[in-house]
Amino acid sequence: MDKTTARHLDPMSDAAIAASVTPEPIEAVGARLGIPADALYRYGPHKAKLSLDYIKGLEDKPAGKLILVTAISPTPAGEGKTTTTIGLGDALNRIGAKTAVCLREPSLGPCFGAKGGATGGGHSQIVPMQDINLHFTGDLHAIGAAHNLLSALIDNHIYWGNALDIDVRRIAWKRVVDLNDRALRSIVVGLGGAANGFPREDGFDITVASEVMAIFCLSRTLEELEERLSRMVVAQTRGKAIVRAEALKGIGSMVALLRDAFQPNLVQTMEHTPAFVHGGPFANIAHGCNSVIATRSALRLADYVVTEAGFGADLGAEKFLDIKCRQAGLAPNVAVVVATVRALKMHGGVGLKELVNEDVAAVKQGAANLRRHVENMQKFGVPVVVALNRFLSDTPAEVEAVRGVLSDLGVNVHVCSHWADGGKGAEELAHEVKNLAEKPSAFHPLYSDDLRLSAKIETIAREIYRAGEVVFTPEATRRLAELEAQGFGHLPVCMAKTQYSFSADPKLRNAPSGHVLPVREVRLSAGAGFVVALTGDVMTMPGLPSVPAAEHIFVDADGVIGGLS
Amino acid sequence: MDKTTARHLDPMSDAAIAASVTPEPIEAVGARLGIPADALYRYGPHKAKLSLDYIKGLEDKPAGKLILVTAISPTPAGEGKTTTTIGLGDALNRIGAKTAVCLREPSLGPCFGAKGGATGGGHSQIVPMQDINLHFTGDLHAIGAAHNLLSALIDNHIYWGNALDIDVRRIAWKRVVDLNDRALRSIVVGLGGAANGFPREDGFDITVASEVMAIFCLSRTLEELEERLSRMVVAQTRGKAIVRAEALKGIGSMVALLRDAFQPNLVQTMEHTPAFVHGGPFANIAHGCNSVIATRSALRLADYVVTEAGFGADLGAEKFLDIKCRQAGLAPNVAVVVATVRALKMHGGVGLKELVNEDVAAVKQGAANLRRHVENMQKFGVPVVVALNRFLSDTPAEVEAVRGVLSDLGVNVHVCSHWADGGKGAEELAHEVKNLAEKPSAFHPLYSDDLRLSAKIETIAREIYRAGEVVFTPEATRRLAELEAQGFGHLPVCMAKTQYSFSADPKLRNAPSGHVLPVREVRLSAGAGFVVALTGDVMTMPGLPSVPAAEHIFVDADGVIGGLS
């Protein structure tokens, strides 16, 4: 294949659509929120970080309204949570509400794997999409370097005499790389003789799974970041005492590596809505939302802040509300649950290839998944609205079927076309969100801090997953008791469960109930401030598919990067 | 220890001295070289990258004079090559010569290990030193990501059926991390069952040892970068055929990851001399100089460009001249050999603790090392001058002894005090460099391309190292023949030898001759375009010391990073 002919942007691609608009200078984007140019640390003309000094000065300002975008249980049909976050942000600005969006920053792993980038799609994208999807402002690299410095310090400590008496069989701190690389999941390090240290089992996670990332996203200040890093538990001694990260003496260096990264990133949507894109923790073993410092800063600069949480509402929204909001003192004013007719049909039993055909019965059946998520959001005391992302194959009868299923919940459904039309396609949704946000927020977390850890898990399983029973392995029970004895019982729990089902079985779509939720393993994230409950195999290092996206990415003769999606 | 009291910059530290000057806006620094502001891609107020489009437009401009700064064989006494490069650049600007400096960019490994950063010292530093020493503009992270993407693609290819028939025992492509981490030198990957791939031996090098880094530093254009990456040899098949990187189909993605990084970085010295700081390959298994694209760009923007090469002149300068200049069509006009009286005394047999005492005899004896390096530089047809970095303990008699040893070579010795005094302390050196640069350059590489590989090694050993004999292991002999049969015989050789001696024995200081040079192993860097000859144990992944520098780095209450040196 001739290189030059092969190397053109597909005109229908997200990259080509993004290239069709001229971004504003980032100073102009900041000015929309009243940010002075000298508070921006620029990375080229269209990206900037917001200085920590400027952020400190915002503390006394009143906070705007916080809008959470979440979704039904994901299916291969797609639902469009990120595009809705962007489209709603654009639409709010169009109707005169001063709005910013807050998103997670992409990881290189999915960009080169199967999932693609994380900058939206169609006419609801953040730009410059190539920059944001690749290195952006280097935050993930900084987090990876800080994480791996601690890893090196642990093995170095053991090499030079192991004064802390670390048990090499009980080191909980792995290494990270920001790529999908299955060969690194399980490895043996320290081979090759005495000069290379002590052989031991180890492994790599993808960087977004690092506890450093979770801490980065939950800290309000650089001081809090340092405190949280210090109290991470990285290993046990031969006598089973916990070893905290601070004992390795590298916390100052880790903070030095993270200092610049910790400043929130500012970019813009294709319609020039200010977008804070900062932090991106895994949504299974961590809480899956953008950084607290970005969200809090945005709330003091804009009247409305639209943000999203990872996976479906049972996982992403629950953690957003029970972990991020609890820890950061945030209270959402509206929850938007995103769905598509196509995805609801899949929950209703239709196969991927038959989705183009009208099937009102399947929509009605599958809308039970949506209804369940809406009910769950209402349990947190948050007003809810549904955004139905339009596909050309949707029929009026199918849309009406969705409305019908939700009619007794007092929740409106708005058909949105921001993917095709930009913010204009979400104006109706924006008006309702603005109205709902005027109501006084009755938000409350699902459970209180003083519940026992097992009871917290049972509460989530009963109220959100509608499980009939939670079964703990003996090891999980033992570990929960140990954690409570060690003083970690007050922490919230972070559920690691498949995103494809309310249950722990990814094949069980729609709205199962009465199922058994197995809790197989429990892990402590002492710095992030939560206890992870694993209900199945949790992948913290993805693999690449047989034909990875990496094969299709290129730089053309003009230096433009193509093939990213 | 109270955190707040412990966390102040040491007022005598390099960081504090650097903080005593106010850097100019990077646009003003660029303007000194006539660079328009829109050719600069800014990273905050004091760092920028030079756009590739702008660089393309420079091709037809006449080139300035190229000044190479190299040094005697290093000792623990230090010689000050980087400070001399910076001080000479500042001095040339002070005497009215439009000058830029070109330096390598630092690696995180040494910053957190023992060696410290790479931004000079005293009053001859480049700024902002903390930024440059830590993530800078993300180049090393980009190189690491590109390298590790290829690693992941290799294992992924094997996992999905190994259509290329890669022999898992003969994969030459390791993984990299930009830290000192000895536990990763020798590892086994792919453990844990079939889902994680095929177990095999592997290891991590430090990022600067990656062939991607060497290629990055030798490519003139993005197109050349892509070509070189494509032709890297990463493995052999079961039938021993070579497998090139392009067969893994990820070259476009690697170039996409490297596109921004490939733009040269512009910063400034403490006296506002423009400084291009770009690329930093290992000086043993690679060639140890900053990027060709930075050097070539600087030569078209400034009348004088001062640059340095790694290690002593036997290694760094030889590779600069025989690899970088040969491949990039560069010809140096002057070579500056840096020495100190203290270091010459160490070569003369004095111990580190006795260096403060005058010892003219030891200086005379140790100056044989300096004389040898000067003679070697003259063999390349390049005018030479010696910079003697002043220490307070130096006596006039010792300085005269150095001059005496060199008197018959027609080479002047200039005592420099730029470390204490900035550019003013190197003005005398600058005047001589400017005069020498007026002479027509008679530069020629040491050997021609068409010499056999073994003869190239023997030429370097005889002419530069003054070895009596080169002894090849049978394996090295076999491999050299194999490489010539495969069509790699025309490549230059990259010697991997201890920097502490002209010989392969690091304990043999001063000017040994007649020694035996063992060539133990030969490696191909097909993309970088050289054959590496290893004459001893070569460390491509350093370890951390018992008390690493990482323990002393911190961020103070004002967000200033301290403890970096």
Side-chain angles (χ1 to χ4, degrees):
Chain A
M1 191 162 59
D2 186 299
K3 274 186 179 180
T4 52
T5 57
R7 293 185 168 196
H8 290 301
L9 280 187
D10 174 354
M12 300 296 288
S13 67
D14 287 341
I17 295 171
S20 70
V21 297
T22 304
E24 286 186 353
I26 197 64
E27 294 86 347
V29 176
R32 289 168 180 257
L33 299 178
I35 303 170
D38 65 5
L40 294 175
Y41 188 96
R42 286 165 296 182
Y43 288 69
H46 302 124
K47 297 169 289 182
K49 280 184 170 286
L50 207 54
S51 87
L52 294 183
D53 281 344
Y54 176 71
I55 289 173
K56 271 184 198 163
L58 298 175
E59 275 300 315
D60 296 332
K61 286 189 145 193
K65 307 287 189 183
L66 181 58
I67 321 297
L68 171 66
V69 176
T70 181
I72 59 170
S73 305
T75 72
E79 60 289 335
K81 204 166 45 194
T82 303
T83 57
T84 303
T85 306
I86 296 166
L88 175 57
D90 286 338
L92 281 162
N93 270 321
R94 289 177 72 92
I95 66 168
K98 189 166 85 171
T99 303
V101 301
C102 283
L103 293 168
R104 292 166 290 169
E105 52 189 312
S107 157
L108 290 178
C111 283
F112 295 119
K115 202 178 160 209
T119 50
H123 291 264
S124 290
Q125 295 188 57
I126 45 172
V127 292
M129 73 87 86
Q130 286 92 340
D131 295 28
I132 299 169
N133 278 316
L134 295 180
H135 308 291
F136 200 18
T137 55
D139 296 347
L140 268 74
H141 294 310
I143 289 167
H147 181 117
N148 288 333
L149 175 62
L150 181 56
S151 308
L153 290 173
I154 292 170
D155 279 301
N156 193 55
H157 176 85
I158 296 165
Y159 178 85
W160 288 104
N162 198 9
L164 292 170
D165 194 29
I166 291 170
D167 187 337
V168 295
R169 305 163 306 176
R170 292 193 171 90
I171 296 173
W173 194 255
K174 296 204 277 187
R175 288 172 164 88
V176 297
V177 65
D178 188 28
L179 287 171
N180 293 0
D181 193 348
R182 69 170 67 75
L184 292 177
R185 283 174 190 153
S186 180
I187 67 176
V188 172
V189 301
L191 298 171
N196 297 352
F198 291 84
R200 66 177 185 87
E201 289 183 54
D202 196 7
F204 277 72
D205 288 335
I206 190 164
T207 302
V208 291
S210 166
E211 190 177 349
V212 178
M213 172 62 93
I215 288 172
F216 182 94
C217 288
L218 288 168
S219 300
R220 277 161 294 197
T221 63
L222 208 55
E223 292 72 25
E224 183 178 347
L225 178 76
E226 175 157 3
E227 284 163 20
R228 286 174 176 263
L229 291 173
S230 300
R231 63 174 187 255
M232 293 190 299
V233 172
V234 297
Q236 292 187 9
T237 67
R238 289 295 298 270
K240 296 209 181 171
I242 60 176
V243 177
R244 294 197 189 257
E246 63 189 343
L248 280 308
K249 301 182 188 166
I251 302 297
S253 286
M254 293 175 75
V255 176
L257 282 168
L258 294 169
R259 184 196 61 172
D260 292 348
F262 191 62
Q263 303 176 121
N265 303 301
L266 179 67
V267 289
Q268 64 192 294
T269 69
M270 285 175 65
E271 298 185 8
H272 317 306
T273 296
F276 293 92
V277 180
H278 196 224
F282 240 33
N284 48 27
I285 60 152
H287 61 293
C289 335
N290 76 291
S291 77
V292 162
I293 189 171
T295 303
R296 285 173 56 95
S297 302
L299 282 168
R300 274 147 192 86
L301 292 163
D303 296 330
Y304 297 85
V305 173
V306 187
T307 190
E308 67 166 335
F311 294 163
D314 55 329
L315 285 162
E318 188 272 315
K319 294 179 192 182
F320 176 85
L321 300 166
D322 277 328
I323 297 175
K324 178 173 173 174
C325 289
R326 181 192 304 260
Q327 290 197 11
L330 297 170
N333 299 83
V334 184
V336 179
V337 180
V338 178
T340 61
V341 164
R342 286 161 53 87
L344 294 180
K345 278 196 271 195
M346 283 203 89
H347 279 298
V350 178
L352 198 56
K353 288 178 183 165
E354 281 73 48
L355 290 177
V356 287
N357 308 320
E358 182 180 72
D359 191 337
V360 174
V363 172
K364 276 185 186 161
Q365 197 182 335
N369 182 274
L370 172 59
R371 183 185 167 93
R372 171 84 57 87
H373 286 295
V374 168
E375 287 172 357
N376 285 349
M377 290 302 94
Q378 291 179 329
K379 290 187 180 180
F380 288 91
V382 183
V384 184
V385 61
V386 169
L388 204 60
N389 272 325
R390 192 186 71 187
F391 276 76
L392 286 179
S393 57
D394 300 351
T395 70
E398 289 176 324
V399 171
E400 276 318 300
V402 178
R403 291 207 168 96
V405 170
L406 302 175
S407 59
D408 62 320
L409 296 177
V411 165
N412 289 327
V413 175
H414 295 282
V415 176
C416 298
S417 64
H418 47 266
W419 191 93
D421 303 326
K424 191 171 162 51
E427 283 189 15
E428 200 186 297
L429 175 69
H431 280 291
E432 169 142 6
V433 163
K434 194 159 175 280
N435 289 338
L436 288 176
E438 293 310 310
K439 296 185 182 176
S441 174
F443 167 70
H444 55 83
L446 190 68
Y447 53 84
S448 69
D449 290 348
D450 52 12
L451 224 53
R452 294 196 56 181
L453 290 170
S454 57
K456 289 170 182 164
I457 295 168
E458 283 159 352
T459 302
I460 297 168
R462 182 181 64 242
E463 298 291 329
I464 304 295
Y465 306 161
R466 319 293 172 96
E469 189 186 358
V470 181
V471 176
F472 297 88
T473 61
E475 171 61 18
T477 301
R478 190 197 61 70
R479 187 84 176 105
L480 286 171
E482 187 178 68
L483 288 174
E484 285 176 346
Q486 288 170 338
F488 299 110
H490 64 290
L491 295 178
V493 292
C494 178
M495 299 301 295
K497 179 182 72 63
T498 175
Q499 68 263 43
Y500 299 112
S501 173
F502 279 104
S503 77
D505 176 1
K507 295 192 188 71
L508 219 53
R509 286 201 177 130
N510 210 350
S513 58
H515 45 89
V516 173
L517 187 81
V519 175
R520 301 183 186 182
E521 188 190 337
V522 173
R523 293 182 196 165
L524 172 66
S525 290
F530 51 69
V531 170
V532 186
L534 291 86
T535 65
D537 290 335
V538 171
M539 184 62 73
T540 50
M541 171 52 90
L544 291 168
S546 59
V547 182
E551 294 191 7
H552 306 302
I553 294 167
F554 61 89
V555 180
D556 75 9
D558 298 323
V560 177
I561 294 172
L564 276 168
S565 61
Chain B
M1 192 161 57
D2 186 299
K3 274 185 178 180
T4 51
T5 56
R7 293 188 170 193
H8 290 301
L9 280 185
D10 173 355
M12 299 297 288
S13 68
D14 287 341
I17 295 172
S20 69
V21 297
T22 304
E24 287 187 352
I26 197 64
E27 294 85 347
V29 177
R32 288 167 180 258
L33 299 178
I35 303 170
D38 65 5
L40 294 175
Y41 188 96
R42 288 164 296 182
Y43 288 70
H46 302 125
K47 298 170 287 183
K49 281 185 170 284
L50 207 53
S51 86
L52 294 184
D53 281 343
Y54 176 70
I55 288 173
K56 271 184 197 163
L58 298 175
E59 274 301 314
D60 296 333
K61 285 188 144 194
K65 307 287 189 184
L66 181 58
I67 321 296
L68 171 67
V69 176
T70 182
I72 58 170
S73 305
T75 72
E79 61 288 336
K81 204 165 45 192
T82 303
T83 57
T84 303
T85 306
I86 296 166
L88 174 57
D90 287 339
L92 281 163
N93 270 320
R94 289 177 73 92
I95 65 168
K98 189 166 84 170
T99 303
V101 302
C102 283
L103 292 168
R104 292 167 290 170
E105 51 188 314
S107 159
L108 290 178
C111 284
F112 295 118
K115 202 179 159 206
T119 49
H123 291 265
S124 290
Q125 295 187 57
I126 46 173
V127 290
M129 72 88 87
Q130 287 93 338
D131 294 28
I132 299 169
N133 278 317
L134 296 180
H135 308 290
F136 199 18
T137 55
D139 296 346
L140 268 73
H141 293 310
I143 290 166
H147 181 116
N148 288 334
L149 175 62
L150 181 55
S151 309
L153 290 173
I154 292 170
D155 279 300
N156 194 54
H157 176 86
I158 296 165
Y159 177 84
W160 287 105
N162 198 8
L164 293 169
D165 195 29
I166 291 170
D167 187 337
V168 296
R169 304 163 306 176
R170 293 195 170 88
I171 297 174
W173 194 255
K174 296 203 276 186
R175 288 172 164 86
V176 297
V177 66
D178 188 28
L179 288 171
N180 293 359
D181 193 348
R182 70 170 67 74
L184 292 177
R185 283 175 191 154
S186 180
I187 67 177
V188 171
V189 300
L191 298 171
N196 297 352
F198 292 83
R200 65 178 185 86
E201 290 182 53
D202 196 8
F204 278 71
D205 288 335
I206 190 165
T207 302
V208 291
S210 166
E211 188 177 351
V212 178
M213 172 62 94
I215 288 172
F216 182 93
C217 289
L218 287 169
S219 299
R220 278 162 293 197
T221 63
L222 208 54
E223 292 73 24
E224 182 178 348
L225 178 76
E226 177 158 2
E227 283 164 21
R228 285 174 177 264
L229 291 173
S230 300
R231 64 174 186 255
M232 293 190 300
V233 173
V234 296
Q236 293 186 9
T237 67
R238 288 295 296 272
K240 296 208 180 170
I242 59 176
V243 177
R244 293 197 190 258
E246 63 187 343
L248 280 308
K249 301 181 188 167
I251 302 297
S253 286
M254 293 175 75
V255 176
L257 283 167
L258 295 169
R259 186 198 60 172
D260 291 348
F262 190 61
Q263 303 175 122
N265 303 302
L266 180 66
V267 290
Q268 63 191 294
T269 69
M270 286 176 64
E271 299 185 7
H272 317 304
T273 295
F276 292 92
V277 180
H278 195 225
F282 240 33
N284 48 27
I285 59 151
H287 61 291
C289 336
N290 77 291
S291 78
V292 162
I293 189 170
T295 303
R296 285 173 55 96
S297 302
L299 282 168
R300 272 146 193 88
L301 291 163
D303 296 330
Y304 297 86
V305 173
V306 187
T307 190
E308 68 166 335
F311 294 162
D314 55 330
L315 285 163
E318 188 271 315
K319 293 178 194 185
F320 176 86
L321 299 167
D322 277 329
I323 297 175
K324 178 174 173 173
C325 289
R326 181 193 305 259
Q327 290 196 12
L330 298 170
N333 299 84
V334 183
V336 179
V337 181
V338 177
T340 61
V341 164
R342 286 162 53 87
L344 295 179
K345 278 195 271 195
M346 282 203 91
H347 278 297
V350 178
L352 198 55
K353 288 178 182 164
E354 281 73 48
L355 290 178
V356 287
N357 307 321
E358 183 180 72
D359 191 337
V360 175
V363 171
K364 276 186 186 161
Q365 196 183 335
N369 182 274
L370 171 59
R371 182 186 168 92
R372 171 84 57 88
H373 286 295
V374 168
E375 287 172 356
N376 285 349
M377 289 303 95
Q378 291 179 327
K379 288 187 182 182
F380 287 92
V382 183
V384 183
V385 61
V386 169
L388 205 59
N389 272 325
R390 192 186 70 188
F391 276 76
L392 287 178
S393 57
D394 300 350
T395 69
E398 288 177 324
V399 172
E400 275 318 301
V402 178
R403 291 208 169 95
V405 170
L406 301 176
S407 59
D408 62 321
L409 295 177
V411 165
N412 287 328
V413 175
H414 295 282
V415 176
C416 298
S417 64
H418 46 267
W419 191 92
D421 302 326
K424 192 171 162 50
E427 283 189 17
E428 198 186 298
L429 175 69
H431 280 292
E432 167 141 8
V433 163
K434 195 159 175 282
N435 289 338
L436 288 176
E438 294 310 310
K439 294 186 184 177
S441 174
F443 167 68
H444 55 83
L446 190 69
Y447 53 83
S448 69
D449 289 348
D450 51 12
L451 223 54
R452 295 196 54 180
L453 290 170
S454 58
K456 289 170 183 166
I457 296 168
E458 283 160 352
T459 302
I460 297 168
R462 182 180 65 241
E463 298 291 328
I464 305 295
Y465 306 160
R466 318 294 172 97
E469 190 184 359
V470 181
V471 175
F472 297 88
T473 61
E475 171 60 18
T477 301
R478 191 196 62 71
R479 187 83 176 106
L480 286 171
E482 185 178 69
L483 289 174
E484 285 177 347
Q486 289 169 339
F488 299 110
H490 64 289
L491 296 177
V493 292
C494 178
M495 300 301 295
K497 180 182 71 66
T498 175
Q499 68 263 42
Y500 299 111
S501 172
F502 278 103
S503 77
D505 176 1
K507 296 192 187 71
L508 218 55
R509 286 201 177 129
N510 208 348
S513 59
H515 44 90
V516 173
L517 187 80
V519 175
R520 302 183 186 184
E521 188 190 336
V522 172
R523 291 182 197 167
L524 172 65
S525 289
F530 51 68
V531 170
V532 185
L534 291 86
T535 65
D537 290 335
V538 171
M539 186 62 72
T540 50
M541 171 51 89
L544 290 168
S546 58
V547 182
E551 294 190 7
H552 306 302
I553 294 167
F554 60 89
V555 180
D556 75 9
D558 298 324
V560 177
I561 294 172
L564 276 168
S565 62

